[in-house]
Amino acid sequence: MSVSYNKLWKMLIDRKMSHIELQRAAEVAPNTMTKIRRDQPVNLAILDRMCRVLGCDFGDIVEHVDNLE
């Protein structure tokens, strides 16, 4: 399974919010933010907290990407 968090990064830029601000507001561990930066899957509960802080839905911050290699 491959995921992309490009939508999250674009949203943070649009809102002039740093990933550290999001990390603190959503109470996300630094190692989890590293997973997100590397486009690795994370727990839905974490994504839920991020969505609550950002006022959005899962599909607004993450998307499934097919790797057809």
Side-chain angles (χ1 to χ4, degrees), residues 4-67:
S4 171
Y5 298 97
N6 287 338
K7 290 181 175 184
L8 171 63
W9 306 126
K10 289 176 187 173
M11 181 179 288
L12 291 179
I13 290 168
D14 291 344
R15 295 179 183 208
K16 295 180 172 68
M17 183 180 207
S18 73
H19 73 277
I20 298 295
E21 291 172 320
L22 175 61
Q23 176 183 331
R24 289 180 182 150
E27 299 178 356
V28 176
N31 62 334
T32 302
M33 289 304 291
T34 299
K35 283 184 172 184
I36 292 171
R37 281 195 300 276
R38 294 178 179 169
D39 284 335
Q40 296 174 346
V42 298
N43 190 308
L44 282 177
I46 294 165
L47 295 178
D48 179 57
R49 290 198 309 260
M50 291 178 152
C51 286
R52 288 175 191 260
V53 168
L54 296 170
C56 65
D57 195 4
F58 293 123
D60 296 328
I61 62 172
V62 65
E63 66 182 333
H64 177 265
V65 180
D66 285 326
N67 286 350

